[in-house]
Every structure is written in structure tokens, then in C-alpha cells.
Amino acid sequence: DAKTTQPPSMDCAEGRAANLPCNHSTISGNEYVYWYRQIHSQGPQYIIHGLKNNETNEMASLIITEDRKSSTLILPHATLRDTAVYYCIVRHSLNNAGNMLTFGGGTRLMVKP
Amino acid sequence: KAGVTQTPRYLIKTRGQQVTLSCSPISGHRSVSWYQQTPGQGLQFLFEYFSETQRNKGNFPGRFSGRQFSNSRSEMNVSTLELGDSALYLCASSEGSGGNQPQHFGDGTRLSIL
């Protein structure tokens, strides 16, 4: 699976949009981009994933550049409860690829009042 | 649907003992994966089971083993515990193994070795 690069930490004001970048310049055409977050003392929580198109769900939006070499996770109105470590991961799309996720260091997002 | 359930939540053992951790996946999920999380190494993949067969294994010694039952519930076992095995052990489940199927994690078992 392709390696990802994320900034180690970011701050965001409560109520503002949080934009978390991820670089995955070696991604291949059949690899998905996944985002998880981990709040202290809890297991990672699935947020969203996408292959080529932008995706949106009740938690966040995922914007993938046209060349797929980078993506941005957007939390539209950040709250204090969004303070967490956010992980960007790429996964192969094949059905028999298995479920091994390779976690990097992630981005520690601090939402401030 | 109930989420992934891991038991126990906390466990204290001493060096040389063995331990068994349990994971109940989300109903209908056939794949169960295990991860170890430590402050120094972060989240690392241990192994994955699908339909009672181990499909992938991470770079851990043979003291770490697991199994999956016919109802998809899974257990992992660590024998001859070492101080370095102190960690949060996480279980994740998914319906299958395709890249388009997200894994969902439990809140883990925190294992402390004295």
C-alpha cells in the first residue's frame, strides 16, 4: 500500500471548518483513500473513504485531487469533540487484498474554543 | 447494530504468563483483524482472520497467535508475556476484505505487564 504523509499537528477554531491534508503521491489507480480518527482511549473511528470522486457523509467531506496524489478531509463545523488524531490510509481495492491497514503518525487536530 | 465488542477492557498480567483476548465482530461481518498500539510504535497490524482462516500476518513473533470461530468471533493469545507487550490491543471487523469495505474498530483491551 502507498505511503501517506500528514502534518503532525493542526489547530482549528471551534465552529470553523477543519481542513486536514494528506499526501499520497505514490498511490496507484486501484487504491482507496481512507480516513479514520482516534479520540484518546478509544479505538479508531471510520470517517470516510473514496477512490477517485469527492465523497461526503454526515461526518465529513473528502476531496481527492484529480491526479489522486493528495486529498483533504474537511470537517465543516469543528467542535471540541472533534479533537483527535486523524489518520489518512490508502488501501488496495482488490476483493482479495486483505484488510491490513498501515497507520502512519496521523495529524493531531486540536479544536480550540 | 451493536459495534465491535472487546473483552476484557483492562487486564494486568505478569511476565511469563499468557493471556487471551476476545473480540465479537459486528453482526454479519466475516473478517476480523487485530492490531497492537503502543506509544513508541503506533498502530501495528497483527493478523487477520476471514472465515476461520488466517489470511494475513504482521511482523510479530510466534508468541502472538489467534483464531476465529464459526460465528466469526475471534480470540488472540499472547504467550510468555514480556514487558514490551504492554499495549492497547484493538480488534476491527468488516463484511469482507475488499478495499471498498471499511473496517470498524472496538475500543480495545488495555494490557499491562508487571
Side-chain angles (χ1 to χ4, degrees):
Chain A
D1 291 343
K3 185 177 177 180
T4 62
T5 304
Q6 300 178 252
S9 64
M10 292 181 63
D11 290 343
C12 177
E14 188 178 20
R16 305 295 295 268
N19 296 283
L20 293 93
C22 179
N23 182 285
H24 32 78
S25 59
T26 60
I27 194 171
S28 64
N30 50 10
E31 288 182 312
Y32 282 87
V33 178
Y34 272 76
W35 283 84
Y36 284 82
R37 72 181 183 184
Q38 187 173 25
I39 297 170
H40 185 61
S41 297
Q42 296 181 19
Q45 178 189 22
Y46 164 74
I47 302 173
I48 198 168
H49 73 283
L51 185 61
K52 297 179 181 178
N53 300 320
N54 298 336
E55 301 287 344
T56 296
N57 63 20
E58 65 278 4
M59 288 183 67
S61 293
L62 173 61
I63 308 299
I64 302 174
T65 58
E66 193 169 340
D67 64 5
R68 303 187 69 245
K69 293 183 184 301
S70 65
S71 61
T72 301
L73 178 74
I74 300 173
L75 307 178
H77 305 286
T79 70
L80 299 179
R81 287 179 294 181
D82 292 321
T83 292
V85 178
Y86 287 76
Y87 296 100
C88 170
I89 300 166
V90 293
R91 279 187 65 190
H92 208 281
S93 63
L94 289 178
N95 286 335
N96 63 352
N99 278 325
M100 183 179 79
L101 296 177
T102 301
F103 287 83
T107 295
R108 186 172 299 275
L109 175 69
M110 180 73 72
V111 180
K112 298 183 175 180
Chain B
K1 275 186 182 179
V4 177
T5 303
Q6 292 188 246
T7 56
R9 287 297 313 276
Y10 303 92
L11 203 50
I12 300 174
K13 292 286 187 179
T14 58
R15 281 181 299 173
Q17 287 186 311
Q18 73 165 15
V19 67
T20 299
L21 312 181
S22 179
C23 172
S24 293
I26 292 172
S27 177
H29 285 193
R30 293 183 296 164
S31 169
V32 173
S33 299
W34 289 89
Y35 294 80
Q36 181 196 63
Q37 185 172 27
T38 60
Q41 299 297 319
L43 272 154
Q44 293 185 290
F45 172 80
L46 278 158
F47 30 65
E48 178 203 359
Y49 286 87
F50 183 83
S51 295
E52 301 180 63
T53 301
Q54 185 183 89
R55 287 207 310 182
N56 290 299
K57 190 176 191 303
N59 188 26
F60 280 83
R63 299 184 298 108
F64 292 81
S65 63
R67 60 178 176 168
Q68 186 180 33
F69 302 96
S70 58
N71 61 359
S72 293
R73 190 177 69 85
S74 177
E75 290 180 346
M76 68 163 282
N77 183 277
V78 188
S79 62
T80 318
L81 286 165
E82 301 176 358
L83 292 178
D85 297 333
S86 293
L88 180 65
Y89 289 88
L90 293 156
C91 168
S93 76
S94 67
E95 289 187 41
S97 65
N100 196 26
Q101 298 185 21
Q103 293 180 61
H104 298 274
F105 285 79
D107 282 337
T109 294
R110 186 164 297 280
L111 176 63
S112 298
I113 311 302
L114 303 178

